[in-house]
Amino acid sequence: MNDGGGQRRFGPLGTVLVIVPTYNEAENIEAVVARVRAAVPEAHVLVADDNSPDGTGKIADELAAADPQVSVLHRRGKEGLGAAYLAGFDWGAERGFGVLVEMDADGSHQPEELPRLLTALKGADVVLGSRWVPGGRIVNWPRSREFLSRGGSTYSRLLLDVPIRDVTGGFRAFRAEALKELGLRDVASQGYCFQVDLARRAVRAGLRVVEVPITFVERERGDSKMSRDIVVEALWRVTAWGVAGRVGSLLGRRGR
């Protein structure tokens, strides 16, 4: 939102929708939903399930039947994290939610830290829960995983020229009107690259993006969705975006 003089204005947040994508999270989903509802009782939860064969969707349906502030979006199959969030954003926008939150289903994002993100959103368009700002930390990660995540964020930040420390993090809160400015219809990236894409779009759109420290805890139950394909996709897409941006800047300077 802009006041016409170049300054952003921040109004009331509106109702919060926490979007939790799931694929084979039967061991985790009930506890995560309960923790969200306890941390922010006024928030609604949308479980976006990619037709999990382990029965996650059925558990989510039972939670929704017992709590009117829990809903389930059943999707046809495993289509990726980005597609699940985009579907959740559309679902929330159609129902008039003022804030849309991304949160993992495995417990790595602490629901008890959600109030901190929402408080920061009162003066921002987008708030990122960050592992790599002062006060942020990770628990139970091997050094190799930390190196990969830190390296990926640093590479993305430098190549894309975005002033964000944790570019790949997935614990985020968006004002609904801010999402409309990101041009999400042409988003094709998935996995962790989806998070990089949204971050660069937010910066490019001139939105106020704020990072707050979080504690990221490695999952205790279930299997990680990280794969070699996700890493490769992120690497080539970020590289392509960065090269295209620099070529565009160079051509623009030459054309003056």
Side-chain angles (χ1 to χ4, degrees):
M1 189 187 310
N2 201 293
D3 66 4
Q7 298 296 317
R8 301 199 63 83
R9 294 183 289 111
F10 304 101
L13 293 179
T15 308
V16 177
L17 177 67
V18 180
I19 304 167
V20 184
T22 56
Y23 185 77
N24 287 349
E25 296 289 355
E27 296 177 284
N28 297 308
I29 189 59
E30 186 172 0
V32 166
V33 170
R35 289 171 64 189
V36 172
R37 295 287 289 114
V40 187
E42 65 273 23
H44 291 242
V45 179
L46 174 66
V47 178
D49 184 64
D50 276 7
N51 197 24
S52 298
D54 72 344
T56 301
K58 183 176 183 297
I59 296 172
D61 282 337
E62 292 170 354
L63 297 175
D67 185 344
Q69 287 177 228
V70 177
S71 301
V72 186
L73 178 60
H74 291 282
R75 293 164 40 75
R76 291 176 297 180
K78 190 177 182 183
E79 299 177 6
L81 183 72
Y85 274 130
L86 290 175
F89 292 158
D90 285 343
W91 191 96
E94 290 170 1
R95 289 159 179 80
F97 286 93
V99 175
L100 303 173
V101 176
E102 298 179 354
M103 178 182 288
D104 286 352
D106 60 10
S108 56
H109 298 149
Q110 306 296 290
E112 294 76 18
E113 295 184 315
L114 179 55
R116 184 184 306 161
L117 272 69
L118 297 177
T119 297
L121 194 63
K122 293 177 181 178
D125 297 297
V126 183
V127 175
L128 313 181
S130 179
R131 298 159 291 184
W132 312 132
V133 296
R137 67 190 187 101
I138 55 174
V139 177
N140 296 332
W141 259 14
R143 286 294 180 89
S144 59
R145 180 77 182 274
E146 180 177 351
F147 176 79
L148 179 63
S149 181
R150 282 186 181 272
S153 276
T154 300
Y155 181 75
S156 299
R157 182 176 73 251
L158 296 177
L159 197 61
L160 302 177
D161 194 25
V162 292
I164 297 172
R165 304 297 298 180
D166 194 348
V167 187
T168 63
F171 192 10
R172 302 178 168 187
F174 300 84
R175 287 180 177 268
E177 64 264 28
L179 279 172
K180 296 176 183 177
E181 300 184 36
L182 300 188
L184 298 179
R185 293 303 172 193
D186 65 346
V187 171
S189 51
Q190 297 296 327
Y192 292 90
C193 192
F194 174 80
Q195 308 295 8
V196 177
D197 197 358
L198 262 59
R200 77 180 183 104
R201 287 169 184 257
V203 171
R204 198 168 56 186
L207 301 180
R208 176 165 169 72
V209 181
V210 173
E211 290 183 271
V212 299
I214 61 167
T215 297
F216 183 97
V217 181
E218 176 66 349
R219 69 161 63 234
E220 295 181 354
R221 297 181 295 275
D223 298 322
S224 172
K225 306 304 186 294
M226 175 66 80
S227 69
R228 180 179 178 275
D229 288 345
I230 290 173
V231 174
V232 170
E233 184 213 9
L235 180 62
W236 80 257
R237 283 192 183 274
V238 168
T239 302
W241 291 331
V243 170
R246 278 162 171 70
V247 169
S249 296
L250 180 61
L251 292 177
R253 286 197 297 269
R254 287 181 176 177
R256 290 174 187 167

